[in-house]
Amino acid sequence: MDITLELMKHSTLEGERILLRPVGLADAPDMFEYASDEETTRFVFETHRDRAMTEEAIANYFMVAPAGKYAIVVKDTKKMIGTIDIRPNPTDRIAEIGYTLNKGYCGNGYMTEAGKLITALAFEVLELEKVFAMHDILNPASGEVMKRLGMQSEGILRRHKVFKGRSCDMAYYGILKEEYFQQAREV
């Protein structure tokens, strides 16, 4: 299976309240709204100083290689409130997911809904064996999303990442294909 081809065939995913679609330059105002907020970016990426920095990030990360990278859009308002991406490793049949959400939309289940669309894609379409995610241990709210996606804690990777000059311990969560399908049957 050509995973990149499958990701491009599934460049738009629709949930009950959200739409996952490719990120474009027109998303710069909505992305800058949260990417310029230090609280939102604290554990994820460098805080954007200006709109030009946001446009560069969109062009150089999301648009140059769009496979598996999605804007999270609220269907009712058409507002882009965050991003989620899946980074597959076809050799090992696993994938890492990562996400960022505008803090004004936290606590409404949007990220869980987006994550469920991505894990369904990973297991039902891409036929992967495992999906995993990591979060800085100082950001436990991200771990709560991972738990709601059915992921289990697999441990702490000590001093796994240097970010903003700080050596970070990362909590590692994962869900296996059979666990995903078992949970799907129980719903």
Side-chain angles (χ1 to χ4, degrees):
M1 169 187 307
D2 184 328
I3 288 184
T4 303
L5 175 61
E6 288 302 316
L7 287 171
M8 294 310 291
K9 286 181 179 178
H10 296 86
S11 63
T12 301
L13 303 171
E14 188 168 352
E16 187 178 319
R17 302 173 303 147
I18 61 168
L19 180 70
L20 302 184
R21 59 146 174 85
V23 180
L25 288 173
D27 295 313
D30 285 343
M31 184 180 284
F32 182 68
E33 183 178 310
Y34 65 83
S36 62
D37 177 66
E38 287 187 30
E39 185 181 339
T40 300
T41 64
R42 180 176 173 202
F43 302 107
V44 203
F45 54 81
E46 293 298 326
T47 306
H48 292 192
R49 297 176 305 280
D50 51 40
R51 274 266 293 279
M53 191 173 174
T54 301
E55 289 173 349
E56 287 172 17
I58 290 171
N60 294 317
Y61 181 73
F62 293 99
M63 294 177 74
V64 72
K69 299 171 185 168
Y70 301 89
I72 302 170
V73 179
V74 177
K75 289 185 347 185
D76 288 348
T77 63
K78 309 286 189 259
K79 180 160 182 75
M80 188 267 226
I81 59 170
T83 59
I84 189 165
D85 62 317
I86 180 168
R87 299 178 289 275
N89 173 337
T91 303
D92 295 327
R93 298 180 61 204
I94 64 173
E96 180 177 9
I97 63 170
Y99 43 82
T100 306
L101 185 67
N102 183 322
K103 71 180 181 189
Y105 293 85
C106 290
N108 295 303
Y110 291 121
M111 191 53 69
T112 301
E113 186 175 344
K116 286 184 177 186
L117 290 169
I118 294 297
T119 54
L121 173 67
F123 293 121
E124 296 176 23
V125 176
L126 304 180
E127 300 175 355
L128 298 175
E129 293 295 319
K130 178 180 182 174
V131 173
F132 70 95
M134 292 184 280
H135 72 83
D136 187 311
I137 62 167
L138 299 179
N139 183 19
S142 189
E144 293 304 313
V145 171
M146 295 169 196
K147 290 176 193 172
R148 286 193 297 275
L149 296 177
M151 294 184 178
Q152 298 177 33
S153 173
E154 295 188 16
I156 304 293
L157 302 174
R158 299 177 305 150
R159 295 186 188 164
H160 186 71
K161 180 178 178 183
V162 174
F163 184 65
K164 295 185 178 181
R166 183 177 65 82
S167 190
C168 308
D169 293 344
M170 302 296 287
Y172 186 101
Y173 284 76
I175 182 171
L176 303 176
K177 175 176 63 176
E178 56 270 21
E179 294 167 342
Y180 168 81
F181 284 109
Q182 178 63 37
Q183 290 172 14
R185 282 191 295 275
E186 292 171 359
V187 173

